[in-house]
Structure formats: structure tokens, C-alpha cells
Amino acid sequence: MVVAAMEASGLRLIAVDAQARALGLEPGETLARARARIGTPVSVHPADPEADAAALHRLCLWAKRYTPVVAPYGRAEGHDGLFLDIAGASHLFGGEAQLLADLARRLSEGAIPARIALADTPACAFALARHGGGGLVAPGGNAEALWTLPVSALRLDPAMAQALARLGLRRIGDLAAAPRAPLARRFGETLLLRLDHALGHRPEPLVCTEDPREFEAARGFLEPIGRPETIVATATHLMAGLAPRLEAAGLGARAVRLSLTRVDGVVRTLDLGMSLPTRCPAQIERLLTLRLDRLGPALDAGFGFETIGLTVTATGTIGARQGMLVEAPDGTGAEHLGDALRQRLGRRMMRLGFRASHLPERAGRAEPWRASLPVQAGRPRLQPRPLVLLGRGEAAEDVIALAPDGPPHRFRWRRRLHRVAHADGPERIADEWWQAPGPARDYYVVEDEAGRRLWVYREGLPTREAPARWFVHGLFA
């Protein structure tokens, strides 16, 4: 199996699997010549550079578990690997050897073949990983490790490597021992720059991969902190810094994540969700205060937190609002109450939602808490509904109606006799047109002589064979 890309001269191999390599195929060869040379069927897959770049980007983000400084290979390296600067981070994994072993194990478990090398410079590590079999180079041992490697390990273009080979400079050791002035005159500054990068004579900055997070901020402390009041004040200050950036983008935070890094490297995260997008630091302060009050000692600050970070993990659009001389209620009190209860109680908040059904027992359902949606224009205005709706209608007995199709005069429900003093209705409710037709219901709001208001309905109409059936479906008070 091979991967081929279209070039001016036709399809050219850019990657081969182990079986193709065993047959002598190498990247860079034209597909037609490869097929003619080996005489074996080849499975060809078209190159997809965009998908390769996206996969490498995801791998770089995953590698940030070891260090925040991760840089993908560029054009000179072939876009098929990544650099990790583990200076100051290896002790968190027990040392450099343990970090490399953990990295190799995780890549192997993910079925990602890799060759890993560790050296003082990115160029030396790349040369060993690509041309030297990988391994760990002792500090200051760059020159010795690179001495026998080919000059192509310095990330030179093929034409320059071939020109050096014609001069007898096939190894990096031969190149390092040659006079520099003639090399600079003939090959330019690039050759000597690559050599100095590998030997550590000149620094090589890395272009790090950034997380796909547009709105985040962090603050470090010389002295670790642990008091909830300080944590809340710091998070509020960070949100105040993010608010102008959110406003410029026309967005608000729907969810934020507070990251608390202890001095021993343990990271504690707290996620806050809002029903409506917000840019208000005071709202974040209030919700975080409620959350920390609920956690109490479970926050486990240890010897204190040295870094606090705030990341907006979900955003929503906030439209422009017309200001008013006199502040008017904005109708968001219920949403703010729901957010506060969610932090205080630590439970999943539910609310009553609507379902596309005419029958009252099927028209509502419990769903996760969310912001109220505006009422759609033209929506039909329903008659009053009871505060308490029974799961199903309960049969009423001994019903006496004023007329065959009129409201009840009296009925017995739950062993109590109700004499109706006033009745309002009927309201006809039937099954949806796409459902199998069932008996229609005529609902009445009745008030008995004791002042109780109930929601009752008659199912169907009375006939000579059987009287109509009556049910109680809800209570208004």
C-alpha cells in the first residue's frame, strides 16, 4: 500500500507501508516506474495534505500533556513529526528516560508508529530520529552523536546534499571539519546555519502549536494561594480581562472552566455553565462563590495553588441592546436563579418543556435546564391550565350532568362528593391528526360549593347503550 500525490511528472510516491518498502519502493519514486519495477499489485491511496495537517495538529495538542511547548514539523522536516521542549517538565514524569518511555507506550497503544530521540537541540533530535534510529543523547554529546550521520540529516534540500556528496562531504563529521568560508561562498548561509543549529552553536526557536481556544487567561503567584475569596477575586479579574475580547467578537460565555494548579502539579478544574451568554464578571463571581461554598474542604488546595486559569469553553451570540434611561426588567431572573441553584445544589437542573402533542398528559416533559425561548408569533392562546396535572385522568363516579353534552352537576371523586357551583367550558381536545383517532375530550373548569376548582373532562358522548365517562385531570387550587 502506498500514498501518491500528483506532480508535473505524474503520480509520485510520498509514503509506503512496510510491505512496499520490503519490495524496494521508496518515497519520491514515480508510481509508474514503481509498478513496472516490482510487478506486484499496489494499492494506491491519494494524498490528502489537509487531513494530514489536521491529524498532526491533533497529535500536537495531545502531546501537550508532557509540555506546553510543542511544535509540528514544517516543510523542511516533511510535516510528519513534532518537537517537544521538555526542559523543566521531565521531573514531573520521573526523569527524561521515564518521560520518553511513557510517550512511546502511549503512542504504541494508539497504533501510531514513532521513532523518538532526545538531544540538546531540535535539529540534533530530528537528525537522530529520522536518520539515526532515535535514542537519548547525553548533554553536550551532540557532535559525537551526529558525526557519522549523512548530511541530509541536517534538513538540506536534495540538490544541496547531492552537491556536497560530489565534493566528498557525505557525513556531518566531514562537513563540520571542512573550512567554513568556502562552504559559505558556494552554498550560502543556509548550510552553515543548519549545521550550527544541530551542534548547538546557534539557537533555533520553535513555532508552538496553539490550543483552539480564543478566550482564555491565566495568572501565576509567587506565593501559593488557597483562600476561596482570593480564588474568586482572581477569577473575576480574569473574566473582566476577557470581557472586552468577547464583546469585540459579539459573543458571550455559555460555559467557563476554572483551572487551579497546585504547587505539586495537580490540576483541579471547575466548570460553570450559564443559561444565557454573559460577559459579566459579577455573575461569574456569584456562581463561583456558590460553587466553592458547596465544595468546602473538598476543594483540597494542598499547599496552595500557584496558577489560576480561566477558559471560555462555550460561547453564544449576544446581540446589541438598546439602552434605557430607566432600567426595565429583562426577563432573565429565572435563568439567573437556575444558574445559582445549579452551583449551590450540585445537581442536574431540570425544567418543564413542551412536546408536540395536544393531549395534556403528553404535551409536557422534563428536560435539562436551558434558557427560555421567546414565544413564537402567532402561537394559539390556550385556555388556563391547572397547577397540578395528574399523570392520567382519574375516573369520576356517580356523575349527574345538566344536559347530555353539558357540564357535570355533581360527581364523586376520591370518595368525596363534589357539588358544582360554577362551570366554564367546554374546550374540545382530541388526538393529533397523524395519530390513530380516539375519543374526543370535552374539558370543563368546575368549582364546587367548597371553592375547589378542578379540571374535568367527558370522554365521548353518552349513548343509549352506555353513559359518557367522566374523569378528573387536574386541580387549580
Side-chain angles (χ1 to χ4, degrees), residues 307-348:
T307 304
I308 293 181
L310 188 69
T311 304
V312 178
T313 56
T315 59
T317 303
I318 297 182
R321 299 182 184 180
Q322 175 66 46
M324 301 183 65
L325 294 177
V326 179
E327 194 65 31
D330 56 2
T332 60
E335 281 69 26
H336 292 171
L337 175 61
D339 294 339
L341 292 176
R342 188 162 38 181
Q343 308 306 324
R344 186 66 174 174
L345 302 178
R347 299 175 182 175
R348 188 182 182 189

Side-chain angles (χ1 to χ4, degrees), residues 124-464:
C124 181
F126 169 83
L128 291 173
R130 179 61 60 83
H131 300 274
L136 194 153
V137 179
N142 286 14
E144 182 180 356
L146 295 172
W147 206 258
T148 59
L149 296 182
V151 292
S152 57
L154 295 177
R155 299 171 290 176
L156 304 177
D157 60 74
M160 184 180 294
Q162 292 176 5
L164 290 171
R166 287 195 296 267
L167 296 176
L169 303 175
R170 294 181 174 83
R171 305 293 176 184
I172 295 179
D174 301 332
L175 187 63
R180 296 174 64 91
L183 292 175
R185 284 196 300 269
R186 181 161 184 173
F187 297 99
E189 181 67 18
T190 302
L191 175 61
L192 298 182
L193 180 64
R194 294 294 192 189
L195 180 61
D196 290 344
H197 282 166
L199 297 177
H201 297 159
R202 278 194 273 187
E204 181 180 4
L206 297 177
V207 180
C208 300
T209 298
E210 297 295 335
D211 290 339
R213 297 172 180 172
E214 300 182 42
F215 308 104
E216 64 178 352
R219 180 178 178 182
F221 299 90
L222 295 177
E223 294 292 335
I225 65 171
R227 297 181 57 191
E229 297 83 0
T230 309
I231 296 174
V232 172
T234 303
T236 305
H237 177 74
L238 295 176
M239 186 63 192
L242 294 176
R245 294 163 54 188
L246 289 167
E247 184 176 6
L251 301 175
R254 290 291 301 265
V256 298
R257 174 170 297 166
L258 183 71
S259 302
L260 306 172
T261 305
R262 297 194 322 200
V263 294
D264 57 357
V266 177
V267 180
R268 182 72 187 273
T269 59
L270 300 177
D271 290 301
L272 305 178
M274 281 72 71
S275 298
L276 296 174
T278 182
R279 296 190 289 259
C280 179
Q283 185 177 357
I284 301 298
E285 177 184 13
R286 182 170 62 93
L287 297 179
L288 185 57
T289 300
L290 294 173
R291 173 67 69 84
L292 295 181
D293 287 345
R294 178 170 61 85
L295 289 177
L299 181 62
D300 190 16
F303 292 102
F305 300 109
E306 61 180 2
T307 304
I308 293 181
L310 188 69
T311 304
V312 178
T313 56
T315 59
T317 303
I318 297 182
R321 299 182 184 180
Q322 175 66 46
M324 301 183 65
L325 294 177
V326 179
E327 194 65 31
D330 56 2
T332 60
E335 281 69 26
H336 292 171
L337 175 61
D339 294 339
L341 292 176
R342 188 162 38 181
Q343 308 306 324
R344 186 66 174 174
L345 302 178
R347 299 175 182 175
R348 188 182 182 189
M349 295 289 294
M350 307 295 290
R351 71 181 303 165
L352 184 64
F354 297 99
R355 182 182 294 167
S357 178
H358 297 161
L359 299 182
E361 65 270 22
R362 296 207 303 252
R365 62 180 176 182
E367 59 185 22
W369 177 267
R370 58 184 175 83
S372 298
L373 299 178
V375 178
Q376 299 178 356
R379 182 176 177 179
R381 185 180 181 88
L382 299 178
Q383 298 294 327
R385 293 294 183 254
L387 297 177
V388 178
L389 182 68
L390 304 180
R392 62 170 58 183
E394 297 184 2
E397 302 173 345
D398 302 333
V399 181
I400 297 179
L402 296 179
D405 57 350
H409 177 64
R410 71 174 189 181
F411 59 91
R412 189 180 301 276
W413 177 61
R414 291 185 178 180
R415 300 182 180 181
R416 175 177 295 179
L417 184 63
H418 298 268
R419 298 181 182 274
V420 178
H422 177 76
D424 187 15
E427 177 189 359
R428 175 67 61 88
I429 299 179
D431 285 326
E432 299 80 16
W433 61 266
W434 60 86
Q435 300 285 353
R441 303 177 182 179
D442 287 335
Y443 279 84
Y444 295 88
V445 179
V446 301
E447 181 177 342
D448 64 9
E449 294 178 346
R452 303 182 186 89
R453 300 179 70 232
L454 299 92
W455 205 34
V456 302
Y457 70 88
R458 181 186 61 244
E459 189 176 83
L461 293 173
T463 63
R464 293 182 179 181

Side-chain angles (χ1 to χ4, degrees), residues 1-5 11-35 37-38 40-47 52 80 113 115:
M1 184 172 60
V2 301
V3 178
L11 289 173
R12 188 174 297 275
L13 305 184
I14 63 173
V16 299
D17 67 354
Q19 295 180 4
R21 191 177 296 276
L23 294 174
L25 300 185
E26 293 290 341
E29 187 177 8
T30 61
L31 178 61
R33 183 176 183 276
R35 281 175 166 167
R37 185 165 55 84
I38 65 174
T40 302
V42 178
S43 177
V44 182
H45 295 266
D52 292 342
D80 59 354
R115 187 182 298 130

Side-chain angles (χ1 to χ4, degrees), residues 109-126:
E109 291 176 352
I112 301 177
R115 187 182 298 130
I116 305 174
L118 177 64
D120 290 342
T121 64
C124 181
F126 169 83

